[in-house]
Amino acid sequence: MSKTTEAHAQLSFFESVNRNFDRAAVHTGLPKGLLAQIKACNAVYQVRFPVKIGNEYQVIEAYRVQHSHHRLPTKGGIRYSQKVNQDEVMALASLMTYKCAIVDVPFGGAKGGVKISPRSYTPAQLQKITRRYTTELIRKNFIGPGIDVPAPDYGTGAREMGWILDTYLTFKGGEIDAAGCVTGKPVNQNGIRGRTEATGRGVFYALREALSYKDDMDKLGLTTGMEGKRIAIQGLGNVGYHTGIICQEEGGALITCVAEYEGAIFNPKGLDIKALAKHRKETGSILDFPGAKNLTGRKDVLEIDCDVLIPAALENQIRVDNAPRVKAKIIAEAANGPITAAAEEILIEKGILIIPDMYCNAGGVTVSYFEWLKNLSHMRFGRMEKRFDQNTYHNLVALVERLTGKTIDNKERALLTKGADEIDLVRSGLEETMVTSYNEIRKVYKRKKAVQDLRTAAFINALGKIGSDYLALGIFP
Ligand code: NAD
């Protein structure tokens, strides 16, 4: 291990993100002061509040960090995990700033964290904690549709977002845009169709795009296309599960290895992810899944022989100790920060293509943006134009039939005359975003000789956009 790699192995998560920032900053030509401002966390709120659990009071530690106010509102998920700490929330908030810039979502970055293990609480207790946390955010003006808009992250989902909205409405019921105070809500509580699967679907589009370039795949010794590619997934939660299902069903990939808390399983012929999730629900474990082999430990997934590794659990999973043994040709970072800065140096040296987190998992925030827009417009996407479009398409089909004297069969007619529903528009908007952003990043990667990896290219892209926002404000001459 080189001296610099050794030094980088000691970095915290936030320092690791900033080290990646610095690597890209030298290529941007932006003034030093401006770069320092972009890098800094603008506001950090740490709070401790009491919640009665059973007969006892527990003091809960929680955070909300707004990394950048260059665009408002700020946006970012809320994590429930025993490992939450200020450094982690700051790192995740800063990644949100860069992520939003990369996918052209007009928000500053933020993140929240509550230091609890959600498995240790009943739903009623979790609701109590969520409501109290939201109240603390309201008190300090750290939440609101134009201020700061949370979303789900590790350990939280639509249920928690519904509780947050309800608490917000209790205090701010008269606010006309109140529903936009949080995203990732249940669809029947002002949510949007397609949000739950959005991050996983975004990972699928990102990977599909990366796999489509022959020159890049030639370098890795891979063929183009997702069909038949062997994929290993760490973490079968929201992101890992949907990524797996979509890569399998729409991409034709083989999900050969999956790891969860309790262990890892392997089947070279592919694991049926839907059946695996059912098996886990019924037995409480992914282990002993019919047709699959149990591996020794859950960490084996990171070192398994596969084409694509998708870490979809937590940060700091690939480190200097296991990086040399990673066999995947591509790593698609569905989780935030799964590769430490030091490990990345080893992986780049090995020629592995890393699709960086701040782009790869941006599908969630992209669809959150659509949800926020829906809340502000108070109307479902597609409601105004769907019927009008359908009638127009029917008229066109009738005209073609009249002019050609041929009849279009019912299946084709249904396809040709379909007006777009909300889910169609959300998916198409997400696909467009992920494809366009990949190509922007890849262009930088190909254009700049000194840039060795997609992460640095993504940072250069993000810093250029955020920098131009600040320059337009006239603060930095
Ligand atoms: P989740 O809580 O739904 O799922 C995470 C899963 O990982 C859990 O099932 C957990 O048991 C498993 N896990 C934890 N440690 C593991 C380990 N060492 N080995 C194997 N499995 C392990 O969380 P999520 O929402 O899917 O988030 C996962 C990652 O994706 C996080 O890094 C999060 O920040 C990131 N992310 C999530 C979203 C989103 O929309 N939910 C958006 C962007 C990024």
PDB file of all heavy atoms in Angstrom, residues 143-173:
ATOM      1  N   ILE A 143     -37.589  22.597   8.428  1.00  0.00           N
ATOM      2  CA  ILE A 143     -38.412  21.806   7.504  1.00  0.00           C
ATOM      3  C   ILE A 143     -39.469  22.726   6.906  1.00  0.00           C
ATOM      4  O   ILE A 143     -39.950  23.645   7.565  1.00  0.00           O
ATOM      5  CB  ILE A 143     -39.057  20.593   8.220  1.00  0.00           C
ATOM      6  CG1 ILE A 143     -39.857  19.721   7.229  1.00  0.00           C
ATOM      7  CG2 ILE A 143     -39.949  21.008   9.381  1.00  0.00           C
ATOM      8  CD1 ILE A 143     -40.337  18.390   7.798  1.00  0.00           C
ATOM      9  N   GLY A 144     -39.845  22.472   5.661  1.00  0.00           N
ATOM     10  CA  GLY A 144     -40.874  23.258   4.992  1.00  0.00           C
ATOM     11  C   GLY A 144     -40.695  23.144   3.494  1.00  0.00           C
ATOM     12  O   GLY A 144     -39.562  22.923   3.033  1.00  0.00           O
ATOM     13  N   PRO A 145     -41.772  23.278   2.714  1.00  0.00           N
ATOM     14  CA  PRO A 145     -41.674  23.062   1.261  1.00  0.00           C
ATOM     15  C   PRO A 145     -40.711  24.014   0.559  1.00  0.00           C
ATOM     16  O   PRO A 145     -40.210  23.689  -0.516  1.00  0.00           O
ATOM     17  CB  PRO A 145     -43.105  23.268   0.765  1.00  0.00           C
ATOM     18  CG  PRO A 145     -43.869  23.851   1.898  1.00  0.00           C
ATOM     19  CD  PRO A 145     -43.147  23.536   3.160  1.00  0.00           C
ATOM     20  N   GLY A 146     -40.428  25.169   1.179  1.00  0.00           N
ATOM     21  CA  GLY A 146     -39.473  26.103   0.565  1.00  0.00           C
ATOM     22  C   GLY A 146     -38.195  26.198   1.374  1.00  0.00           C
ATOM     23  O   GLY A 146     -37.329  27.021   1.071  1.00  0.00           O
ATOM     24  N   ILE A 147     -38.081  25.367   2.423  1.00  0.00           N
ATOM     25  CA  ILE A 147     -36.929  25.487   3.332  1.00  0.00           C
ATOM     26  C   ILE A 147     -36.027  24.248   3.240  1.00  0.00           C
ATOM     27  O   ILE A 147     -34.872  24.329   2.839  1.00  0.00           O
ATOM     28  CB  ILE A 147     -37.415  25.651   4.793  1.00  0.00           C
ATOM     29  CG1 ILE A 147     -38.256  26.923   4.916  1.00  0.00           C
ATOM     30  CG2 ILE A 147     -36.240  25.685   5.766  1.00  0.00           C
ATOM     31  CD1 ILE A 147     -38.997  27.047   6.230  1.00  0.00           C
ATOM     32  N   ASP A 148     -36.589  23.129   3.625  1.00  0.00           N
ATOM     33  CA  ASP A 148     -35.815  21.889   3.676  1.00  0.00           C
ATOM     34  C   ASP A 148     -36.825  20.735   3.606  1.00  0.00           C
ATOM     35  O   ASP A 148     -37.781  20.705   4.386  1.00  0.00           O
ATOM     36  CB  ASP A 148     -35.010  21.847   4.991  1.00  0.00           C
ATOM     37  CG  ASP A 148     -34.039  20.668   5.064  1.00  0.00           C
ATOM     38  OD1 ASP A 148     -34.064  19.817   4.155  1.00  0.00           O
ATOM     39  OD2 ASP A 148     -33.270  20.602   6.044  1.00  0.00           O
ATOM     40  N   VAL A 149     -36.616  19.835   2.662  1.00  0.00           N
ATOM     41  CA  VAL A 149     -37.615  18.795   2.370  1.00  0.00           C
ATOM     42  C   VAL A 149     -36.990  17.403   2.542  1.00  0.00           C
ATOM     43  O   VAL A 149     -36.249  16.946   1.671  1.00  0.00           O
ATOM     44  CB  VAL A 149     -38.153  18.970   0.920  1.00  0.00           C
ATOM     45  CG1 VAL A 149     -39.238  17.937   0.623  1.00  0.00           C
ATOM     46  CG2 VAL A 149     -38.662  20.379   0.694  1.00  0.00           C
ATOM     47  N   PRO A 150     -37.278  16.713   3.653  1.00  0.00           N
ATOM     48  CA  PRO A 150     -36.728  15.365   3.845  1.00  0.00           C
ATOM     49  C   PRO A 150     -37.347  14.317   2.912  1.00  0.00           C
ATOM     50  O   PRO A 150     -38.323  14.594   2.201  1.00  0.00           O
ATOM     51  CB  PRO A 150     -37.066  15.035   5.297  1.00  0.00           C
ATOM     52  CG  PRO A 150     -37.493  16.301   5.934  1.00  0.00           C
ATOM     53  CD  PRO A 150     -38.025  17.171   4.827  1.00  0.00           C
ATOM     54  N   ALA A 151     -36.790  13.125   2.972  1.00  0.00           N
ATOM     55  CA  ALA A 151     -37.232  11.989   2.138  1.00  0.00           C
ATOM     56  C   ALA A 151     -36.757  10.713   2.841  1.00  0.00           C
ATOM     57  O   ALA A 151     -36.064  10.793   3.843  1.00  0.00           O
ATOM     58  CB  ALA A 151     -36.604  12.109   0.751  1.00  0.00           C
ATOM     59  N   PRO A 152     -37.102   9.530   2.319  1.00  0.00           N
ATOM     60  CA  PRO A 152     -36.623   8.305   2.965  1.00  0.00           C
ATOM     61  C   PRO A 152     -35.133   8.067   2.721  1.00  0.00           C
ATOM     62  O   PRO A 152     -34.575   8.529   1.727  1.00  0.00           O
ATOM     63  CB  PRO A 152     -37.431   7.191   2.277  1.00  0.00           C
ATOM     64  CG  PRO A 152     -38.490   7.873   1.493  1.00  0.00           C
ATOM     65  CD  PRO A 152     -38.015   9.242   1.194  1.00  0.00           C
ATOM     66  N   ASP A 153     -34.526   7.362   3.632  1.00  0.00           N
ATOM     67  CA  ASP A 153     -33.167   6.855   3.447  1.00  0.00           C
ATOM     68  C   ASP A 153     -33.079   5.550   4.232  1.00  0.00           C
ATOM     69  O   ASP A 153     -34.122   4.987   4.616  1.00  0.00           O
ATOM     70  CB  ASP A 153     -32.123   7.875   3.929  1.00  0.00           C
ATOM     71  CG  ASP A 153     -30.705   7.483   3.529  1.00  0.00           C
ATOM     72  OD1 ASP A 153     -30.411   7.457   2.327  1.00  0.00           O
ATOM     73  OD2 ASP A 153     -29.885   7.153   4.414  1.00  0.00           O
ATOM     74  N   TYR A 154     -31.895   5.102   4.486  1.00  0.00           N
ATOM     75  CA  TYR A 154     -31.667   3.844   5.199  1.00  0.00           C
ATOM     76  C   TYR A 154     -32.519   3.808   6.479  1.00  0.00           C
ATOM     77  O   TYR A 154     -32.463   4.708   7.309  1.00  0.00           O
ATOM     78  CB  TYR A 154     -30.190   3.744   5.559  1.00  0.00           C
ATOM     79  CG  TYR A 154     -29.784   2.438   6.183  1.00  0.00           C
ATOM     80  CD1 TYR A 154     -29.333   1.380   5.415  1.00  0.00           C
ATOM     81  CD2 TYR A 154     -29.860   2.276   7.564  1.00  0.00           C
ATOM     82  CE1 TYR A 154     -28.964   0.187   5.985  1.00  0.00           C
ATOM     83  CE2 TYR A 154     -29.481   1.071   8.148  1.00  0.00           C
ATOM     84  CZ  TYR A 154     -29.031   0.036   7.347  1.00  0.00           C
ATOM     85  OH  TYR A 154     -28.670  -1.151   7.934  1.00  0.00           O
ATOM     86  N   GLY A 155     -33.330   2.771   6.622  1.00  0.00           N
ATOM     87  CA  GLY A 155     -34.115   2.586   7.854  1.00  0.00           C
ATOM     88  C   GLY A 155     -35.433   3.342   7.896  1.00  0.00           C
ATOM     89  O   GLY A 155     -36.176   3.245   8.866  1.00  0.00           O
ATOM     90  N   THR A 156     -35.739   4.111   6.849  1.00  0.00           N
ATOM     91  CA  THR A 156     -37.039   4.805   6.798  1.00  0.00           C
ATOM     92  C   THR A 156     -37.701   4.561   5.446  1.00  0.00           C
ATOM     93  O   THR A 156     -37.030   4.171   4.491  1.00  0.00           O
ATOM     94  CB  THR A 156     -36.900   6.331   7.002  1.00  0.00           C
ATOM     95  OG1 THR A 156     -36.087   6.856   5.935  1.00  0.00           O
ATOM     96  CG2 THR A 156     -36.281   6.690   8.339  1.00  0.00           C
ATOM     97  N   GLY A 157     -39.009   4.824   5.372  1.00  0.00           N
ATOM     98  CA  GLY A 157     -39.726   4.619   4.114  1.00  0.00           C
ATOM     99  C   GLY A 157     -40.974   5.487   4.077  1.00  0.00           C
ATOM    100  O   GLY A 157     -41.106   6.453   4.850  1.00  0.00           O
ATOM    101  N   ALA A 158     -41.903   5.106   3.193  1.00  0.00           N
ATOM    102  CA  ALA A 158     -43.114   5.914   2.980  1.00  0.00           C
ATOM    103  C   ALA A 158     -43.900   6.117   4.287  1.00  0.00           C
ATOM    104  O   ALA A 158     -44.438   7.201   4.534  1.00  0.00           O
ATOM    105  CB  ALA A 158     -43.993   5.222   1.938  1.00  0.00           C
ATOM    106  N   ARG A 159     -43.931   5.084   5.131  1.00  0.00           N
ATOM    107  CA  ARG A 159     -44.691   5.173   6.389  1.00  0.00           C
ATOM    108  C   ARG A 159     -44.178   6.352   7.245  1.00  0.00           C
ATOM    109  O   ARG A 159     -44.972   7.200   7.689  1.00  0.00           O
ATOM    110  CB  ARG A 159     -44.492   3.853   7.140  1.00  0.00           C
ATOM    111  CG  ARG A 159     -45.185   3.766   8.455  1.00  0.00           C
ATOM    112  CD  ARG A 159     -44.836   2.464   9.146  1.00  0.00           C
ATOM    113  NE  ARG A 159     -43.422   2.402   9.536  1.00  0.00           N
ATOM    114  CZ  ARG A 159     -42.909   1.416  10.275  1.00  0.00           C
ATOM    115  NH1 ARG A 159     -43.660   0.419  10.673  1.00  0.00           N
ATOM    116  NH2 ARG A 159     -41.632   1.408  10.598  1.00  0.00           N
ATOM    117  N   GLU A 160     -42.876   6.444   7.411  1.00  0.00           N
ATOM    118  CA  GLU A 160     -42.300   7.518   8.231  1.00  0.00           C
ATOM    119  C   GLU A 160     -42.568   8.881   7.589  1.00  0.00           C
ATOM    120  O   GLU A 160     -42.825   9.871   8.286  1.00  0.00           O
ATOM    121  CB  GLU A 160     -40.779   7.324   8.402  1.00  0.00           C
ATOM    122  CG  GLU A 160     -40.371   6.228   9.371  1.00  0.00           C
ATOM    123  CD  GLU A 160     -40.572   4.813   8.822  1.00  0.00           C
ATOM    124  OE1 GLU A 160     -40.801   4.667   7.602  1.00  0.00           O
ATOM    125  OE2 GLU A 160     -40.506   3.853   9.609  1.00  0.00           O
ATOM    126  N   MET A 161     -42.524   8.922   6.240  1.00  0.00           N
ATOM    127  CA  MET A 161     -42.744  10.199   5.554  1.00  0.00           C
ATOM    128  C   MET A 161     -44.197  10.658   5.753  1.00  0.00           C
ATOM    129  O   MET A 161     -44.469  11.856   5.880  1.00  0.00           O
ATOM    130  CB  MET A 161     -42.409  10.087   4.056  1.00  0.00           C
ATOM    131  CG  MET A 161     -40.980   9.646   3.772  1.00  0.00           C
ATOM    132  SD  MET A 161     -39.704  10.616   4.608  1.00  0.00           S
ATOM    133  CE  MET A 161     -38.929   9.389   5.682  1.00  0.00           C
ATOM    134  N   GLY A 162     -45.115   9.690   5.799  1.00  0.00           N
ATOM    135  CA  GLY A 162     -46.524   9.999   6.070  1.00  0.00           C
ATOM    136  C   GLY A 162     -46.678  10.610   7.468  1.00  0.00           C
ATOM    137  O   GLY A 162     -47.407  11.590   7.660  1.00  0.00           O
ATOM    138  N   TRP A 163     -45.967  10.059   8.445  1.00  0.00           N
ATOM    139  CA  TRP A 163     -46.027  10.588   9.825  1.00  0.00           C
ATOM    140  C   TRP A 163     -45.465  12.012   9.854  1.00  0.00           C
ATOM    141  O   TRP A 163     -45.970  12.885  10.565  1.00  0.00           O
ATOM    142  CB  TRP A 163     -45.217   9.712  10.788  1.00  0.00           C
ATOM    143  CG  TRP A 163     -45.784   8.329  10.994  1.00  0.00           C
ATOM    144  CD1 TRP A 163     -47.090   7.942  10.859  1.00  0.00           C
ATOM    145  CD2 TRP A 163     -45.054   7.141  11.369  1.00  0.00           C
ATOM    146  NE1 TRP A 163     -47.218   6.596  11.128  1.00  0.00           N
ATOM    147  CE2 TRP A 163     -45.999   6.077  11.445  1.00  0.00           C
ATOM    148  CE3 TRP A 163     -43.711   6.865  11.652  1.00  0.00           C
ATOM    149  CZ2 TRP A 163     -45.628   4.768  11.791  1.00  0.00           C
ATOM    150  CZ3 TRP A 163     -43.341   5.568  11.999  1.00  0.00           C
ATOM    151  CH2 TRP A 163     -44.291   4.536  12.066  1.00  0.00           C
ATOM    152  N   ILE A 164     -44.389  12.228   9.103  1.00  0.00           N
ATOM    153  CA  ILE A 164     -43.774  13.566   9.087  1.00  0.00           C
ATOM    154  C   ILE A 164     -44.769  14.580   8.526  1.00  0.00           C
ATOM    155  O   ILE A 164     -44.972  15.664   9.093  1.00  0.00           O
ATOM    156  CB  ILE A 164     -42.451  13.556   8.264  1.00  0.00           C
ATOM    157  CG1 ILE A 164     -41.396  12.735   9.007  1.00  0.00           C
ATOM    158  CG2 ILE A 164     -41.951  14.972   7.997  1.00  0.00           C
ATOM    159  CD1 ILE A 164     -40.091  12.526   8.255  1.00  0.00           C
ATOM    160  N   LEU A 165     -45.421  14.206   7.414  1.00  0.00           N
ATOM    161  CA  LEU A 165     -46.402  15.133   6.818  1.00  0.00           C
ATOM    162  C   LEU A 165     -47.522  15.435   7.818  1.00  0.00           C
ATOM    163  O   LEU A 165     -47.896  16.598   8.016  1.00  0.00           O
ATOM    164  CB  LEU A 165     -46.990  14.529   5.531  1.00  0.00           C
ATOM    165  CG  LEU A 165     -48.165  15.331   4.938  1.00  0.00           C
ATOM    166  CD1 LEU A 165     -47.710  16.729   4.512  1.00  0.00           C
ATOM    167  CD2 LEU A 165     -48.791  14.618   3.746  1.00  0.00           C
ATOM    168  N   ASP A 166     -48.031  14.393   8.442  1.00  0.00           N
ATOM    169  CA  ASP A 166     -49.149  14.592   9.361  1.00  0.00           C
ATOM    170  C   ASP A 166     -48.747  15.510  10.523  1.00  0.00           C
ATOM    171  O   ASP A 166     -49.524  16.377  10.938  1.00  0.00           O
ATOM    172  CB  ASP A 166     -49.632  13.231   9.882  1.00  0.00           C
ATOM    173  CG  ASP A 166     -50.945  13.371  10.623  1.00  0.00           C
ATOM    174  OD1 ASP A 166     -51.894  13.914  10.017  1.00  0.00           O
ATOM    175  OD2 ASP A 166     -51.015  12.990  11.802  1.00  0.00           O
ATOM    176  N   THR A 167     -47.532  15.337  11.030  1.00  0.00           N
ATOM    177  CA  THR A 167     -47.057  16.193  12.134  1.00  0.00           C
ATOM    178  C   THR A 167     -46.925  17.639  11.639  1.00  0.00           C
ATOM    179  O   THR A 167     -47.316  18.587  12.319  1.00  0.00           O
ATOM    180  CB  THR A 167     -45.690  15.682  12.656  1.00  0.00           C
ATOM    181  OG1 THR A 167     -45.789  14.284  12.888  1.00  0.00           O
ATOM    182  CG2 THR A 167     -45.290  16.397  13.929  1.00  0.00           C
ATOM    183  N   TYR A 168     -46.376  17.771  10.440  1.00  0.00           N
ATOM    184  CA  TYR A 168     -46.204  19.121   9.875  1.00  0.00           C
ATOM    185  C   TYR A 168     -47.555  19.814   9.726  1.00  0.00           C
ATOM    186  O   TYR A 168     -47.718  20.984  10.079  1.00  0.00           O
ATOM    187  CB  TYR A 168     -45.495  19.013   8.520  1.00  0.00           C
ATOM    188  CG  TYR A 168     -45.072  20.364   7.956  1.00  0.00           C
ATOM    189  CD1 TYR A 168     -43.885  20.958   8.359  1.00  0.00           C
ATOM    190  CD2 TYR A 168     -45.881  21.045   7.043  1.00  0.00           C
ATOM    191  CE1 TYR A 168     -43.496  22.190   7.857  1.00  0.00           C
ATOM    192  CE2 TYR A 168     -45.497  22.276   6.529  1.00  0.00           C
ATOM    193  CZ  TYR A 168     -44.293  22.838   6.945  1.00  0.00           C
ATOM    194  OH  TYR A 168     -43.915  24.071   6.442  1.00  0.00           O
ATOM    195  N   LEU A 169     -48.548  19.045   9.249  1.00  0.00           N
ATOM    196  CA  LEU A 169     -49.893  19.615   9.043  1.00  0.00           C
ATOM    197  C   LEU A 169     -50.532  20.025  10.373  1.00  0.00           C
ATOM    198  O   LEU A 169     -51.318  20.979  10.423  1.00  0.00           O
ATOM    199  CB  LEU A 169     -50.797  18.607   8.333  1.00  0.00           C
ATOM    200  CG  LEU A 169     -50.482  18.356   6.851  1.00  0.00           C
ATOM    201  CD1 LEU A 169     -51.314  17.205   6.305  1.00  0.00           C
ATOM    202  CD2 LEU A 169     -50.719  19.613   6.022  1.00  0.00           C
ATOM    203  N   THR A 170     -50.197  19.323  11.449  1.00  0.00           N
ATOM    204  CA  THR A 170     -50.745  19.660  12.771  1.00  0.00           C
ATOM    205  C   THR A 170     -50.329  21.080  13.154  1.00  0.00           C
ATOM    206  O   THR A 170     -51.107  21.840  13.737  1.00  0.00           O
ATOM    207  CB  THR A 170     -50.198  18.668  13.830  1.00  0.00           C
ATOM    208  OG1 THR A 170     -50.421  17.360  13.345  1.00  0.00           O
ATOM    209  CG2 THR A 170     -50.874  18.845  15.169  1.00  0.00           C
ATOM    210  N   PHE A 171     -49.102  21.442  12.792  1.00  0.00           N
ATOM    211  CA  PHE A 171     -48.599  22.773  13.150  1.00  0.00           C
ATOM    212  C   PHE A 171     -48.883  23.816  12.070  1.00  0.00           C
ATOM    213  O   PHE A 171     -49.053  24.977  12.349  1.00  0.00           O
ATOM    214  CB  PHE A 171     -47.083  22.712  13.387  1.00  0.00           C
ATOM    215  CG  PHE A 171     -46.711  21.987  14.649  1.00  0.00           C
ATOM    216  CD1 PHE A 171     -46.482  20.618  14.638  1.00  0.00           C
ATOM    217  CD2 PHE A 171     -46.597  22.667  15.856  1.00  0.00           C
ATOM    218  CE1 PHE A 171     -46.142  19.939  15.800  1.00  0.00           C
ATOM    219  CE2 PHE A 171     -46.249  21.995  17.030  1.00  0.00           C
ATOM    220  CZ  PHE A 171     -46.032  20.622  17.001  1.00  0.00           C
ATOM    221  N   LYS A 172     -48.867  23.387  10.808  1.00  0.00           N
ATOM    222  CA  LYS A 172     -48.908  24.358   9.691  1.00  0.00           C
ATOM    223  C   LYS A 172     -50.056  24.033   8.741  1.00  0.00           C
ATOM    224  O   LYS A 172     -49.904  24.124   7.517  1.00  0.00           O
ATOM    225  CB  LYS A 172     -47.586  24.316   8.904  1.00  0.00           C
ATOM    226  CG  LYS A 172     -46.345  24.354   9.759  1.00  0.00           C
ATOM    227  CD  LYS A 172     -45.637  25.650   9.585  1.00  0.00           C
ATOM    228  CE  LYS A 172     -44.380  25.684  10.431  1.00  0.00           C
ATOM    229  NZ  LYS A 172     -43.656  26.927  10.334  1.00  0.00           N
ATOM    230  N   GLY A 173     -51.177  23.633   9.300  1.00  0.00           N
ATOM    231  CA  GLY A 173     -52.300  23.177   8.504  1.00  0.00           C
ATOM    232  C   GLY A 173     -52.781  24.157   7.444  1.00  0.00           C
ATOM    233  O   GLY A 173     -53.259  23.760   6.392  1.00  0.00           O
TER     234      GLY A 173
END
